[in-house]
């Protein structure tokens, strides 16, 4: 089981003194949306080295003298609260994140009508954590850079049980900051005859790859 709880408030407002896991919802497009959700959240990330994950966009680093000096900015769809996956090729990937009111409104509109499709065209995430032994941040979980986005469909164990929800009430990213965000939760299972490599790490030096999805039959490619 891969279960990553993230400090989502630190994801929005980075505290240089905190060394807690933070994660980002990098891409989300599907279930009948007119297009991918906008990357309308711009935040600092504590990870300031060259990224393995090519799916996330870097902005200019913080200027000297700033309390976040040396940190990079990124543009993302949302900030993760949690990411979990059972580890099996067919197990759902479960994500809880906080997104803007504009993006939340788009998903809420889809919720209020019958979803015509549960297909998820693009999904990307990026989680970083701190390695206490070497005193350095590392990339803990993300799709392989060769395919920085995965595709699938919303998990729907029953005809009326589609695992997609958006909070109706906003929360503030911090008591002293007047920025409201909305929680989104969804589960995605792999599409038929599709396989992806997911990268994980338990420290800066201990990295490994797990497979998600499956290719079967003549269409399958030998890796």
């Amino acid at each position: 089981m891969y279960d990553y709880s993230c400090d989502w408030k630190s994801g929005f407002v980075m505290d240089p003194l905190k060394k807690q896991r933070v994660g980002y919802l990098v891409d989300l497009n599907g279930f009948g949306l007119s297009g991918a959700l906008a990357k309308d959240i711009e935040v600092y990330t504590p990870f300031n080295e060259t990224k393995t994950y090519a799916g996330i966009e870097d902005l200019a680093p913080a200027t000297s003298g700033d309390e976040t000096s040396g940190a990079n900015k990124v543009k993302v769809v949302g900030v993760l609260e949690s990411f979990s996956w059972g580890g099996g090729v067919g197990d759902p990937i479960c994500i809880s994140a906080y997104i803007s009111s504009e993006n939340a409104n788009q998903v809420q509109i889809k919720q209020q009508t019958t979803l015509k499709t549960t297909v998820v065209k693009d999904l990307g995430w990026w989680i970083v954590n701190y390695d206490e032994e070497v005193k350095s941040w590392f990339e803990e979980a993300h799709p392989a850079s060769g395919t920085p986005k995965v595709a699938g469909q919303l998990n729907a164990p029953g005809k009326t049980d589609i695992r997609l929800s958006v909070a109706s009430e906003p929360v503030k990213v911090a008591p002293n900051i007047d920025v409201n965000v909305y929680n989104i939760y969804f589960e995605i299972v792999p599409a038929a005859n599709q396989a992806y490599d997911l990268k994980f790490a338990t420290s800066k030096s201990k990295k490994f790859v797990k497979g998600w999805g499956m290719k079967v039959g003549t269409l399958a490619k030998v890796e």
Side-chain angles (χ1 to χ4, degrees):
M1 180 74 180
Y2 300 84
D3 193 356
Y4 301 111
S5 295
C6 300
D7 185 349
W8 69 270
K9 289 191 175 181
S10 289
F12 279 103
V13 185
M14 195 181 83
D15 184 346
L17 300 178
K18 282 189 174 182
K19 307 297 183 185
Q20 297 179 340
R21 178 191 292 123
V22 290
Y24 308 91
L25 178 59
V26 180
D27 289 284
L28 182 58
N29 184 15
F31 40 87
L33 292 169
S34 58
L37 292 182
K39 296 182 182 182
D40 57 2
I41 292 175
E42 183 178 316
V43 291
Y44 287 110
T45 173
F47 189 88
N48 58 2
E49 300 181 21
T50 302
K51 296 178 178 63
T52 300
Y53 181 51
I56 192 164
E57 178 184 356
D58 262 334
L59 299 176
T63 57
S64 59
D66 192 304
E67 65 175 1
T68 51
S69 179
N72 285 327
K73 283 182 179 179
V74 292
K75 287 182 73 172
V76 294
V77 175
V79 175
L80 294 184
E81 178 182 45
S82 65
F83 173 98
S84 64
W85 173 52
V89 293
D91 290 341
I93 290 171
C94 308
I95 288 177
S96 174
Y98 286 89
I99 59 177
S100 69
S101 59
E102 292 83 1
N103 279 339
N105 184 58
Q106 288 191 54
V107 181
Q108 286 166 345
I109 290 171
K110 288 298 175 184
Q111 280 189 296
Q112 291 164 5
T113 60
T114 302
L115 285 177
K116 294 182 179 179
T117 177
T118 58
V119 170
V120 176
K121 298 177 182 178
D122 295 307
L123 171 64
W125 63 91
W126 185 62
I127 299 173
V128 298
N129 205 349
Y130 191 72
D131 187 331
E132 288 286 356
E133 186 174 343
V134 297
K135 307 300 181 187
S136 178
W137 289 88
F138 67 97
E139 295 169 283
E140 191 171 26
H142 58 82
S145 288
T147 50
K149 305 171 189 177
V150 304
Q153 59 188 33
L154 293 172
N155 190 21
K159 289 184 178 180
T160 59
D161 183 16
I162 298 173
R163 302 292 171 84
L164 170 68
S165 63
V166 180
S168 57
E169 297 295 328
V171 296
K172 285 188 174 184
V173 299
N176 59 336
I177 298 177
D178 191 23
V179 175
N180 290 327
V181 290
Y182 289 76
N183 180 261
I184 182 173
Y185 175 82
F186 59 93
E187 300 178 6
I188 175 177
V189 293
N193 213 46
Q194 293 292 326
Y196 299 92
D197 288 336
L198 309 183
K199 291 197 171 184
F200 297 93
T202 55
S203 68
K204 193 173 179 66
S205 60
K206 297 177 182 176
K207 305 174 184 179
F208 58 97
V209 177
K210 295 284 289 184
W212 185 69
M214 183 184 300
K215 291 184 179 180
V216 178
T218 57
L219 293 178
K221 182 176 71 173
V222 176
E223 301 292 345

